[in-house]
Amino acid sequence: MSTAPTRPADALRQGDRPAEARPGAAARTVGGVAGWVDDRTGAAKPVGYLMKKVFPDHWSFMLGEIAMYSMIVCLLTGAFLTFWFVPSAGHTIYDGSYVPLRGVSMSEAYASTLNISFDIKGGLIIRQIHHWSALMFIVALVVHMFRVFFTGAFRKPREINWAIGSVLALLAIIEGFAGYSLPDDLLSGTGIRAMQGFVQTAPVIGTYLVYAIFGGPFPGEMIIPRLYSAHILLIPALLVGLFTAHIGLVFLQKHTQYPGPGRTEKNVVGFPVMPVYAAKAGGFFFIVFGILALISAVVQINPIWAYGPYDPSAVTAGAQPDWYMGFADGALRLLPGWLEFEIFGYTVSMNIFPGALLLLPLVYVVLGVYPFLERWVTGDNREHHLLQRPRNSPVRTGIGMAAITAYSVLLFASGNDIMAIKLGMSINDLTWFFRIGFFVLPPLAFWVTKRICLSLQRRDRDTVLHGRETGTIVRTPDGRFFERHDTELTPDQWILVQHEPVAPLELEPAVDENGVARPAARKDRLRARLSRFYFADAVNPVTPEELAAAHYHGEEHEAIEPSETSASGGAAPIESAEAGRH
Amino acid sequence: MNALAARRRHPAAIAILIILGLFLTGAVYAALAPKPADATTRALPAQSVEEGKALFRANCSTCHGLNAEGRATGTGDQIAGPPLAGVGAAAVDFQVGTGRMPLPRPDVQAPANNEIKFTQDEIDSMGAYIASLAPGPGVPSEEAVDPTKGDAARGGELYRVNCAMCHNFAGAGGALTRGKYAPPIEGVSGRHIYEAMVTGPQSMPVFNDANLTPESKRDIIAFLYTIDEAESPGGMPLGSLGPVSEGLFAWVFGLGLLVASAVWIGAKSA
């Protein structure tokens, strides 16, 4: 400024304060390239913020990362496959290098997939990586969801992210199904034909939907190009967009952490992204990619050449969808045929519709809504950044296990024919086992899980109050034996007492002091009932008073050993200590 | 031609056309109808019939009856062994030659058994005896089951339409109702595949020469030999059972490896 030539108008600006240095100015010293970029984009501040962001460390936090990396691997390998895949149902005669299909008439989609597998260098391994990554993406996503659910990470303020995650999970399986259906081999063609049947069972709108989706009464030549657009453009765009929001919210809301000494609702104990997680996560990407490539190199997946081209008259035994659609297929296999009925001359296919069509969105809606339901029941409006140990929320853990059991019953039911031949059992018996199991096993799983959680909590209390068994047997002067318990509270035992005590909501009186009924009373009764369901038999953590009392007894009881206390004075504390232990 | 066209609406035209059509169909059928399987059948020496009858009485008559007339179980409500007149030598060769007969115990179906109880000569004799009771499909000739003479690609198409729904796309087998099953057909000899098609053992339907010509049967055998011999290009085939075994692998080994590596890298101090 001072070197600029003096102009008359400068006098007008004499009182102005000089412009402050741009916030990125400090970063400019970092390096030439970074400074150059920062000058033009102002990226230094947000990037610096992100790089300094602290994340807690735990292997279970990497399950979502596995899903993310598998998705990236899918995107990369998928781009390669689009170079060669021909999304067309146009007819062609195969003339490639796979001899058993030479001269067979097939669609261009199938012929191009054969070419990818046999005539394009690296095509088969890329196709297998793509398919294995897709399977692993959804496996990792589901297990990540289990972690989030059982540790209560979905509680305020993360309900929205849980809902986004549920939508991502649903989109992922739709994306997977679209990809499974593209090669037009016998299995994928059977899948499309089955889907057409499922769509048709939608009450009233079924046939219209079929015409809208398939461009005719049967899966004709339109469905493969349409699925292709959905598979490579529409759904991936939604997936990537929602995924960005998903991970953006993790940065914004900070990552949750497991409880431990020094960890509070207000801090995050861990390491910054740069350099620790940049190195760890970057390295982990290559580990995941490497494992996926290894599996794809040694284990065959979806041998489309063996299935042969799709032909409406042919079908293969063991025709199943990929595992993530298995629960819907299993539900379809379990639904009895007599559920179909006619009304006013219209067939209502309740033997197909609930399992094959309704279940799919229903599962993910129930999933997405759960955090809101739990918040309503618990009335807990505080923010939570510390995770819960699954045992400290026995009813939620029980609900989760019941849901997993119901899902697993359906998933296994979709493999009932494979189980029948491999285990030498009757498929009819298996079907009945799963039918009954669908209703019996989830409540059983709930009850067993809840009892286990309560027992674990009681053991935690016991450990805190009475310490761990030392193995030292002490004989009292009057001839009694007892085992000495080490009652020192080590830092490890912090997690045994850190959680909050819970109690069911108190029911407000149904009528106010003037005897007028409160309009919300009925809703409150339901809420109180649900709250009792959640918390009625809660085992709460040891309070400091309880601990002090236990220690008091403990000290007295320790004092017995060396000194010669009178027999009557010595016996009483032992009994109380033993009573407390049981 | 014009005269014919002018009379096409004559009241008798439709009747004449139907008669003509029926006559032509009959004539074509008579000309092209499958002959008895003589051309594909090995000749059986007559003297072995007596030997076969003796073997049959000693080993099979408990269930099938002394003269292969079939028998009910002791309670009389179930079949111990079906009557065998008309099943042909092919059925004997298949059932005994794959170890399915003699049946070790009553079951939903006879399982294939590697332990064959009779020599091929004995099996042939019993086949001759059963064939002497009533005509039935015979054992196919070497040429009829020679995979090198078949067209594997065409056989694959026929296999997918006629066989894959029970035996699976790769011949790995599949489930049927109430504990019955379509057995795996990997490594089964062409002769036994052919015999199974013409006799329809257990729950299998009969594919006679009108359903599938002998050439088509040979094509299917050629296809099955091709997929037996082909190495799996993508790696371990996981039993060729489709997405179920792939999903199981993903959950057990895929997730196991990935979680193990996550635990490993999570345990690394920063």
Side-chain angles (χ1 to χ4, degrees), chain A residues 276-512:
Chain A
V276 176
Y277 283 105
K280 269 195 168 187
F284 194 49
F285 170 72
F286 289 104
I287 289 176
V288 171
F289 202 161
I291 289 173
L292 291 173
L294 179 74
I295 291 174
S296 310
V298 295
V299 188
Q300 178 171 283
I301 189 163
N302 196 21
I304 50 115
W305 54 89
Y307 291 120
Y310 179 57
D311 166 0
S313 61
V315 72
T316 168
Q320 262 96 1
D322 273 343
W323 80 263
Y324 42 81
M325 282 285 181
F327 71 103
D329 184 56
L332 178 68
R333 287 171 189 231
L334 296 188
L335 280 168
W338 50 260
L339 286 171
E340 181 177 90
F341 59 89
E342 267 189 36
I343 188 161
F344 305 124
Y346 294 98
T347 305
V348 184
S349 295
M350 283 302 139
N351 54 339
I352 299 174
F353 174 70
L357 207 60
L358 187 64
L359 184 70
L360 215 61
L362 189 71
V363 164
Y364 290 89
V365 167
V366 169
L367 208 62
V369 160
Y370 181 81
F372 303 95
L373 182 78
E374 192 187 288
R375 200 175 61 89
W376 181 70
V377 172
T378 58
D380 185 357
N381 272 324
R382 295 162 306 156
E383 288 203 357
H384 293 278
H385 299 288
L386 277 179
L387 295 172
Q388 287 176 306
R389 302 172 82 208
R391 70 183 62 171
N392 290 337
S393 185
V395 171
R396 181 206 298 144
T397 306
I399 290 174
M401 286 310 292
I404 290 176
T405 308
Y407 181 91
S408 305
V409 166
L410 297 181
L411 185 59
F412 278 95
S414 82
N416 60 359
D417 55 333
I418 305 291
M419 291 168 82
I421 52 169
K422 289 294 152 190
L423 304 177
M425 294 168 85
S426 157
I427 194 167
N428 304 56
D429 296 346
L430 281 169
T431 302
W432 273 107
F433 170 77
F434 288 126
R435 277 179 182 165
I436 296 165
F438 180 75
F439 294 101
V440 172
L441 293 179
L444 195 68
F446 172 81
W447 182 79
V448 168
T449 309
K450 189 180 159 194
R451 297 325 301 180
I452 290 175
C453 286
L454 292 173
S455 307
L456 286 171
Q457 281 186 295
R458 291 203 183 94
R459 198 195 63 180
D460 286 354
R461 274 182 67 89
D462 195 60
T463 311
V464 174
L465 287 176
H466 305 296
R468 79 192 156 78
E469 296 170 358
T470 57
T472 312
I473 307 294
V474 177
R475 188 184 175 196
T476 61
D478 60 339
R480 289 177 175 228
F481 291 94
F482 69 90
E483 186 183 10
R484 236 172 78 191
H485 282 222
D486 195 350
T487 54
E488 201 182 347
L489 189 68
T490 63
D492 281 348
Q493 281 178 313
W494 163 251
I495 59 165
L496 305 182
V497 295
Q498 47 75 32
H499 56 290
E500 295 169 331
V502 285
L505 292 177
E506 290 297 325
L507 193 60
E508 286 178 47
V511 289
D512 62 15

Side-chain angles (χ1 to χ4, degrees), chain A residues 227-269:
Chain A
L227 278 177
Y228 187 65
S229 305
H231 182 72
I232 71 156
L233 187 71
L234 181 63
I235 306 174
L238 289 171
L239 271 177
V240 171
L242 281 173
F243 161 74
T244 311
H246 194 68
I247 204 157
L249 277 172
V250 173
F251 270 86
L252 197 70
Q253 295 171 334
K254 298 181 183 66
H255 204 289
T256 50
Q257 58 186 344
Y258 281 104
R263 298 181 183 179
T264 68
E265 296 283 8
K266 301 236 185 296
N267 68 4
V268 180
V269 179

